[in-house]
């Protein structure tokens, strides 16, 4: 990167790659929006499963449980959600 033209070439290349990625993401989302599914029916087995957890969920986990259930049971489109958090803080249980 000691030569200015090298930096310029890499910058242009990165810009093209970012624009292509943005285009591909928008295209993929438009494609996904064409597909519908029947909402899942709420199931008592879900609450029975949740009752087996060896701890009380935190308010944040409870909120995410509710949001995911709403996405699955109230919507006719695929869920698009990312659950993130520190190691050992219950992401797997939410999923």
């Amino acid at each position: 990167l000691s030569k200015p033209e090298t930096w310029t070439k890499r910058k242009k290349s990165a810009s093209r790659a970012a624009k292509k990625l943005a285009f591909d993401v928008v295209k993929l989302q438009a494609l996904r929006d064409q597909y519908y599914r029947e909402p899942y029916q709420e199931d008592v087995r879900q609450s029975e499963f949740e009752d087996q957890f060896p701890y009380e969920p935190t308010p944040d986990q409870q909120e995410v449980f509710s949001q995911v259930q709403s996405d699955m049971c109230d919507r006719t489109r695929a869920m698009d959600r990312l659950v993130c958090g520190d190691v050992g803080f219950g992401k797997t249980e939410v999923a």
Side-chain angles (χ1 to χ4, degrees), residues 3-16:
K3 298 179 182 178
E5 59 273 6
T6 301
W7 169 250
T8 302
K9 284 174 65 176
R10 288 189 180 183
K11 186 176 170 184
K12 284 181 182 179
S13 176
S15 178
R16 280 192 302 270

Side-chain angles (χ1 to χ4, degrees), residues 21-79:
L21 178 61
F23 176 81
D24 290 347
V25 167
V26 169
K27 184 178 173 182
L28 178 61
Q29 191 61 44
L31 182 64
R32 288 184 64 178
D33 283 346
Q34 295 176 8
Y35 294 98
Y36 293 89
R37 64 164 178 80
E38 289 296 317
Y40 292 103
Q41 300 299 313
E42 292 189 36
D43 191 338
V44 309
R45 293 177 294 178
Q46 177 68 30
S47 58
E48 291 170 358
F49 173 70
E50 290 170 4
D51 290 342
Q52 294 177 10
F53 291 163
Y55 62 87
E56 278 297 311
T58 67
D60 289 338
Q61 286 173 318
Q62 198 60 46
E63 181 180 346
V64 174
F65 285 145
S66 177
Q67 290 173 354
V68 168
Q69 183 174 3
S70 177
D71 282 352
M72 293 178 69
C73 297
D74 299 338
R75 298 183 64 201
T76 58
R77 294 206 170 130
M79 179 172 51

